[in-house]
Amino acid sequence: MSKIFTDYQPLNFITITEENALKIESLVKITDGVLWLPEKLNNNFQNSILSSEKKENKLYQYYHTSLAKHLANIWEDSQGIIFCLTLGAVVRLISPLLTNKEQDPAIIVIDPHTKYVISLLGGHQAHGDKLTELIAHQLEAKPIITSASFNLNLPPIDTFGYIFGWEKGHGDWTQVSANIARNQITLIKQDVGLNWWQNSLPSSHSFIFENNTIIDNNNLDNFSSPFLNQKQKNNLPLSIEEKETIINNSSINAMVYIGAKKTPDVNIPCISWHPRVLWVGIGCERDTSPSLIQSAVTKVFHEYNLELKAIASFATINIKSDEVGILALADKWHLPLKTFNSEELKEISVLNPSSIVKKEVGTPSVAEASALKAALSPNLPENQLKSPHLIVPKQIIREEGKKGAVTVAIAQSMLEYNPHDGKLYLIGTGPGSIEYLTSRAKTALREADIIIGYGLYIDLIKSLLRPEQMIEKSKITQEVQRAERAIELAKWGLKVAVISSGDCGIYGMAGLVLEILQNQRWNGKQPLVEVISGITALQSVAAKIGSPLMHDFCAISLSDLLTPWDVIEKRIIAAASADFITAIYNPRSLSRTEQIISTQAIFLQHRNPNTPVAIARSVTRDDENIIITTLAEMLNHPIDMLTTIMIGNSSTKRYHDLLITPRGYLKN
Ligand code: SAH
């Protein structure tokens, strides 16, 4: 099954003719969907491809009622419904079933010629726009997406926080989205949470940022350090006059608040996203009434103007892991509960230690210490720089008529908790030109939240990326850091694409990432990993120069940074003496110049000096250069790290600018 489509399940496809079923069946398979067909087609399928095997695999399912009724049956359980039908028919079919944005599935229509994929409904909330794009990629069709933010290249304001695990807050979502779509000035106030998304905004956006300020009063008076993001990029602060003009003219038409407090009460349309940065430590007397625990937490949040949606987790001491009221609240609010033993908790320094508590449970603090301890858990390096802090010290709450007493403390982490299971796509992007990328690689690239790779390779595939995708470029030598970073981000909950040129598993990043995961005792599932193959240098070079690889061949990398030279040398001797056609990767760098000379010398001991050799540089890229020469002459041509050398075997012949190794069919 494809790991690319796991987040969109369950997917139901519907069509009513055999012809259309055949057109989309490979898509259904790739997406792990189900294709629904009318019962009447069950027995009269003409085409032999629609075999019983497929029926058994449940790729095809048949509905026995009218399509309208069938649709009503699968509506609630579908994340997406994809029709291969005329648009008009789909609109009529779905209209009686529509409820609201939060509940309806994504509705996508593929035209019967499979030229267009239309995102009809649920583009944002149900991720229909993104799914439309991915499906269009698979079918090589054109995606039709009409969402305003999509076409402005802005992150969809009502969904973009999901990838970081943020919770949507209250506010006038319709109005704020409309204002943003009309490019009206919108104030973004972000207190907490990752702000990487700000770096990938198009220059035409109309956001004004007020970052990293504590919102203590809920109005715009503390609009103290605003700057236009574009100016900020150019290191130009907004002048006081400009600032005042914006404020005085009241030209701010909408506000997006990203933080742990409640949605600000301002006189312009405002919405909020809540990164989950609050860790609620709870202590209580045994058998404290569940309703007291709930009202205590609610009360503390209310008093401190904090938003319950920003809670990452509850935390307590392990002897309370069976405390009915705490368990009931975690269950009701769908929140995790972290527990720690007294040894772990007593290490944490707190504001209000208590000797009585220490006597009872072996640690001077339960609520404060467990909140702080839990807040250490989101584990990106950014978070480790600043330790979590208590934003609400221990509060003791009792209520008349309710059994028990509760202590509540709240710690804030620097990094938000992200509940998603991340994924790692290890992608080979081929030799250079994007035409040589597999469609699976393209789909995975579109699906990823963040792309990590060497800058040159990212630039080569840039035209394939979504504008709001996050990108981390690194230097060519930083492979280990790159792999570790990718793993960290995926473990934290992002979909991470790590790219290598050619094939990711041939002298590429795939091996390193898997090796590190193995060292970390990875369980094979979290994060999910998919290695997506690419066209490796030897294949693309071979194709450019004809058909040199018709006999047994091998690849040898001359880089002795990680492999000792005597090992490489042994392999060169073996390849040369056994008459393998040989592709030489990493032939020469600025500092590594001797190896290619030794390689030629070894080959000359075993092969005719006239053996055809190709020196192929930057194949399929703009600066592609291919020289056909001989074993004796090969060193008289420029060779560098962007070059692959192909050495023919004893039967390889040059013909015009091609190398042909006869397979043997024409031998008499
Ligand atoms: N994973 C890559 C190989 C990375 S090692 C792959 O599968 O192709 C880097 C070496 O690959 C370079 O030194 C060069 O020998 C070769 N290489 C990569 N891209 C190339 C291209 N477009 N043209 C020629 N050689 C290339």
Side-chain angles (χ1 to χ4, degrees):
M1 174 195 153
S2 163
K3 289 173 182 151
I4 298 178
F5 291 93
T6 49
D7 289 353
Y8 304 94
Q9 301 299 327
L11 283 180
N12 285 301
F13 290 75
I14 296 177
T15 193
I16 52 174
T17 66
E18 178 182 342
E19 200 189 345
N20 290 342
L22 289 172
K23 281 184 190 157
I24 61 170
E25 71 161 26
S26 63
L27 174 71
V28 178
K29 218 186 271 174
I30 288 168
T31 56
D32 207 37
V34 168
L35 176 54
W36 290 98
L37 296 165
E39 164 80 319
K40 67 174 192 278
L41 291 186
N42 192 0
N43 302 321
N44 355 332
F45 254 125
Q46 302 300 316
N47 198 307
S48 58
I49 309 173
L50 297 169
S51 60
S52 53
E53 180 205 339
K54 282 178 191 165
K55 287 181 202 165
E56 273 159 30
N57 284 345
K58 304 227 165 107
L59 185 64
Y60 293 128
Q61 303 249 0
Y62 298 89
Y63 53 88
H64 309 283
T65 57
S66 68
L67 179 50
K69 272 198 191 137
H70 173 63
L71 201 54
N73 289 342
I74 60 171
W75 188 261
E76 271 186 22
D77 292 331
S78 302
Q79 165 119 354
I81 304 181
I82 298 141
F83 293 88
C84 185
L85 271 184
T86 59
L87 192 59
V90 175
V91 171
R92 279 178 211 290
L93 277 166
I94 63 170
S95 59
L97 298 169
L98 300 179
T99 53
N100 59 49
K101 276 192 195 184
E102 271 69 34
Q103 282 171 356
D104 292 334
I107 302 294
I108 293 172
V109 183
I110 301 171
D111 81 295
H113 300 288
T114 62
K115 278 192 181 156
Y116 302 104
V117 183
I118 305 163
S119 175
L120 184 63
L121 203 78
H124 287 180
Q125 236 83 325
H127 310 292
D129 287 349
K130 206 164 165 201
L131 187 56
T132 298
E133 274 228 292
L134 298 180
I135 288 175
H137 258 276
Q138 291 290 337
L139 292 174
E140 297 192 356
K142 192 169 173 47
I144 311 278
I145 293 166
T146 54
S147 315
S149 59
F150 186 88
N151 293 308
L152 286 170
N153 285 340
L154 290 172
I157 208 71
D158 55 347
T159 54
F160 84 104
Y162 286 138
I163 63 170
F164 304 118
W166 299 356
E167 288 286 322
K168 262 176 94 168
H170 300 288
D172 190 345
W173 287 88
T174 312
Q175 193 57 45
V176 173
S177 302
N179 284 2
I180 293 174
R182 285 198 295 267
N183 240 336
Q184 301 197 341
I185 294 181
T186 301
L187 175 68
I188 311 275
K189 231 170 183 194
Q190 180 162 10
D191 291 350
V192 295
L194 290 176
N195 59 7
W196 301 341
W197 65 277
Q198 294 176 13
N199 298 330
S200 42
L201 291 172
S203 53
S204 57
H205 73 79
S206 54
F207 297 143
I208 293 175
F209 288 86
E210 186 192 354
N211 283 339
N212 304 325
T213 51
I214 312 288
I215 300 183
D216 283 332
N217 42 350
N218 287 332
N219 57 45
L220 290 177
D221 291 346
N222 68 339
F223 185 59
S224 54
S225 58
F227 38 76
L228 284 170
N229 190 258
Q230 216 173 332
K231 284 204 163 198
Q232 180 200 12
K233 273 187 199 156
N234 300 331
N235 269 339
L236 295 175
L238 203 65
S239 72
I240 294 179
E241 295 80 57
E242 280 174 301
K243 221 192 296 182
E244 279 175 353
T245 316
I246 289 171
I247 298 170
N248 295 340
N249 292 349
S250 303
S251 50
I252 298 172
N253 291 300
M255 177 172 168
V256 177
Y257 168 65
I258 303 167
K261 305 222 166 195
K262 291 190 194 296
T263 307
D265 183 15
V266 289
N267 55 7
I268 49 172
C270 179
I271 52 166
S272 55
W273 275 105
H274 302 293
R276 295 175 62 180
V277 289
L278 302 181
W279 305 77
V280 183
I282 304 179
C284 66
E285 288 173 7
R286 180 53 79 188
D287 294 330
T288 295
S289 129
S291 79
L292 175 58
I293 295 179
Q294 176 170 338
S295 71
V297 174
T298 313
K299 197 167 144 204
V300 172
F301 269 73
H302 185 73
E303 265 169 27
Y304 282 79
N305 189 33
L306 293 170
E307 172 56 55
L308 291 170
K309 292 185 176 186
I311 301 181
S313 163
F314 291 128
T316 190
I317 189 166
N318 59 357
I319 51 171
K320 290 277 162 206
S321 58
D322 59 352
E323 184 67 44
V324 175
I326 300 179
L327 289 176
L329 191 59
D331 191 49
K332 185 169 172 191
W333 289 357
H334 304 291
L335 288 171
L337 171 64
K338 289 185 175 277
T339 56
F340 305 98
N341 61 37
S342 56
E343 292 301 309
E344 292 171 293
L345 293 180
K346 74 179 187 203
E347 300 298 318
I348 309 274
S349 81
V350 296
L351 284 178
N352 300 298
S354 149
S355 50
I356 302 171
V357 174
K358 185 165 185 205
K359 225 187 233 166
E360 273 177 28
V361 294
T363 162
S365 164
V366 170
E368 290 186 352
S370 64
L372 282 166
K373 178 84 186 159
L376 283 168
S377 62
N379 55 358
L380 290 182
E382 283 89 332
N383 186 44
Q384 286 152 21
L385 293 177
K386 275 195 188 171
S387 40
H389 55 282
L390 270 186
I391 55 168
V392 176
K394 178 169 83 175
Q395 313 283 304
I396 303 174
I397 293 136
R398 295 174 206 277
E399 272 176 29
E400 265 206 25
K402 288 186 182 164
K403 182 167 188 263
V406 190
T407 54
V408 176
I410 305 173
Q412 183 185 317
S413 57
M414 288 312 296
L415 180 72
E416 56 270 45
Y417 163 72
N418 188 345
H420 300 145
D421 289 332
K423 287 186 201 171
L424 270 170
Y425 297 119
L426 308 176
I427 303 178
T429 56
S433 162
I434 53 170
E435 286 168 86
Y436 292 83
L437 243 84
T438 63
S439 86
R440 185 158 195 83
K442 286 183 186 164
T443 311
L445 280 172
R446 297 292 285 194
E447 151 80 348
D449 301 321
I450 184 161
I451 320 288
I452 296 185
Y454 169 49
L456 169 74
Y457 301 149
I458 290 190
D459 291 341
L460 286 168
I461 52 138
K462 199 126 194 207
S463 62
L464 294 173
L465 302 182
R466 284 182 287 119
E468 77 271 14
Q469 266 171 319
M470 297 175 288
I471 291 175
E472 274 193 17
K473 290 185 181 177
S474 58
K475 298 210 177 98
I476 191 91
T477 49
Q478 295 172 336
E479 286 82 9
V480 176
Q481 291 97 313
R482 205 183 305 157
E484 284 171 346
R485 172 79 175 154
I487 292 170
E488 266 166 7
L489 293 175
K491 279 187 170 171
W492 179 70
L494 292 179
K495 288 176 224 155
V496 184
V498 179
I499 61 167
S500 283
S501 75
D503 186 285
C504 198
I506 298 181
Y507 312 128
M509 292 292 292
L512 177 57
V513 171
L514 290 174
E515 238 182 288
I516 296 176
L517 281 168
Q518 186 191 358
N519 287 346
Q520 296 179 354
R521 299 180 184 281
W522 172 55
N523 65 2
K525 291 191 201 112
Q526 283 153 328
L528 275 180
V529 176
E530 180 166 346
V531 185
I532 299 175
S533 59
I535 299 176
T536 185
L538 84 86
Q539 284 170 291
S540 56
V541 170
K544 288 276 172 181
I545 58 170
S547 57
L549 303 179
M550 296 301 293
H551 270 190
D552 297 341
F553 60 90
C554 67
I556 298 179
S557 165
L558 297 196
S559 171
D560 57 358
L561 292 176
L562 303 169
T563 310
W565 174 248
D566 55 343
V567 173
I568 300 174
E569 199 176 33
K570 257 190 226 158
R571 291 175 186 163
I572 298 170
I573 295 168
S577 61
D579 204 28
F580 279 95
I581 303 142
T582 307
I584 306 283
Y585 284 67
N586 299 305
R588 172 151 71 195
S589 72
L590 288 179
S591 58
R592 228 174 14 78
T593 54
E594 293 302 310
Q595 290 84 349
I596 189 67
I597 301 173
S598 315
T599 305
Q600 183 205 31
I602 295 169
F603 270 88
L604 280 171
Q605 287 170 19
H606 300 274
R607 267 176 228 185
N608 189 317
N610 289 327
T611 304
V613 166
I615 299 177
R617 183 178 193 274
S618 289
V619 168
T620 81
R621 299 179 195 156
D622 289 344
D623 53 342
E624 171 180 302
N625 185 27
I626 300 174
I627 297 163
I628 307 291
T629 177
T630 61
L631 189 55
E633 296 289 322
M634 61 182 264
L635 295 185
N636 301 335
H637 300 280
I639 293 172
D640 65 8
M641 280 299 276
L642 299 177
T643 309
T644 299
I645 299 176
M646 187 75 79
I647 304 175
N649 73 1
S650 57
S651 49
T652 306
K653 298 279 177 301
R654 176 175 182 170
Y655 181 77
H656 296 298
D657 279 341
L658 301 179
L659 259 58
I660 303 171
T661 306
R663 180 77 183 98
Y665 295 112
L666 303 183
K667 248 187 233 160
N668 287 318

